[in-house]
């Protein structure tokens, strides 16, 4: 399973990349807004840190504006993936951008029917938001199971990119289901590496080592 970092914070991205944990990065307008910089400034910085797919989201909500924005975003770097919201105008824009060789990440997916249409439009990635479904008392990972099964049934090329991840269990379940990608906030990436028994064991090793004669 590929791991993308779900962040626009350059310090977080550098730290996660240094761990070797990062195969790509996803951003969204809320994450960009937190930086206080322009989307272009942030994306141009991220492509220098992460050698992999970098998702940058359009703000337009009509076919024409999404296609125009997507073409401009794609010019920033060869690794840019244009993030498009899962609305009918967005599906039309995905078809056009895909035909032009521009990679797309269809975002804000909350149902298997939405995911089916995104695949038929030729999306490179589909981003189902599991955390926000959980927040709405719906089992987010069941959607991932449904999408993976539907895509396997019909050999769709669209990659399942699990998004809105809230904790390590989402990551484990995504991997067990066979999702292609999981995009993970930095805080959760840090949690993936942590186990209290590791820390306890290391402390004991170091304590015991003090009793070992030095050469
Ligand atoms: O970036 C898309 C998705 O990961 C957003 O997650 O935490 O805002 O629901 P969240």
């Amino acid at each position: 399973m590929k791991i993308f970092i779900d962040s626009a914070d350059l310090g977080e991205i550098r730290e996660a990349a240094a761990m070797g944990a990062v195969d790509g990065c996803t951003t969204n307008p809320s994450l960009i807004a937190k930086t206080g910089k322009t989307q272009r400034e942030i994306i141009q910085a991220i492509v220098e840190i992460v050698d992999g797919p970098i998702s940058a989201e359009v703000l337009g909500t009509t076919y024409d504006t999404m296609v125009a924005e997507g073409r401009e975003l794609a010019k920033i770097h060869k690794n840019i993936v244009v993030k498009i919201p899962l609305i009918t105008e967005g599906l039309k824009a995905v078809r056009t951008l895909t035909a032009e060789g521009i990679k797309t990440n269809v975002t804000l997916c909350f149902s298997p029917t939405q995911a089916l249409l995104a695949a038929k439009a030729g999306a490179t990635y589909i981003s189902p938001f599991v955390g926000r479904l959980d927040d709405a008392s719906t089992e987010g990972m069941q959607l991932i199971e449904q999408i993976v099964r539907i895509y396997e049934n019909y050999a769709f090329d669209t990659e399942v990119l699990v998004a809105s991840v809230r904790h390590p269990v989402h990551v484990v379940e995504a991997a067990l289901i066979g999702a292609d990608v999981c995009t993970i906030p930095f805080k959760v990436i840090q949690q993936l590496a942590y186990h209290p028994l590791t820390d306890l064991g290391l402390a004991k090793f170091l304590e015991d080592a003090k009793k070992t004669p030095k050469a």
Side-chain angles (χ1 to χ4, degrees), residues 7-11 13-14 25-29 31-50 54-56 73 76 80:
S7 176
D9 181 307
L10 301 181
I13 296 169
R14 285 193 188 93
C25 177
T26 54
T27 67
N28 64 43
L31 293 172
I32 297 287
K34 286 178 187 173
T35 69
K37 295 187 177 355
T38 68
Q39 180 188 45
R40 179 171 286 269
E41 283 175 308
I42 289 295
I43 297 301
Q44 285 177 330
I46 294 174
V47 299
E48 298 304 322
I49 302 167
V50 177
I54 310 295
S55 286
L73 287 170
I76 294 174
I80 294 296

Side-chain angles (χ1 to χ4, degrees), residues 204-215:
K204 181 71 169 61
F205 283 161
L206 296 176
E207 188 59 32
D208 289 347
K210 291 175 185 172
K211 303 164 195 161
T212 303
K214 298 293 177 283

Side-chain angles (χ1 to χ4, degrees), residues 91-194:
L91 294 172
K92 293 190 283 188
V94 166
R95 284 201 73 209
T96 298
L97 293 171
T98 300
E100 295 175 5
I102 295 171
K103 294 188 184 307
T104 56
N105 176 0
V106 177
T107 191
L108 288 166
C109 173
F110 294 97
S111 76
T113 53
Q114 285 183 314
L116 179 59
L117 293 183
K120 290 181 72 66
T124 310
Y125 300 99
I126 183 70
S127 288
F129 279 31
V130 296
R132 294 193 191 184
L133 282 168
D134 288 356
D135 294 345
S137 306
T138 306
E139 181 57 60
M141 294 312 293
Q142 275 180 2
L143 174 58
I144 304 302
E145 286 176 331
Q146 291 173 324
I147 296 171
V148 167
R149 183 171 168 194
I150 291 168
Y151 282 15
E152 283 175 353
N153 285 347
Y154 301 100
F156 284 122
D157 293 329
T158 302
E159 293 192 42
V160 180
L161 193 165
V162 180
S164 188
V165 164
R166 294 278 196 279
H167 47 68
V169 174
H170 276 154
V171 180
V172 173
E173 290 176 339
L176 288 172
I177 291 168
D180 300 286
V181 190
C182 202
T183 194
I184 309 172
F186 181 64
K187 178 175 77 64
V188 177
I189 290 177
Q190 289 177 302
Q191 289 175 285
L192 297 179
Y194 173 74

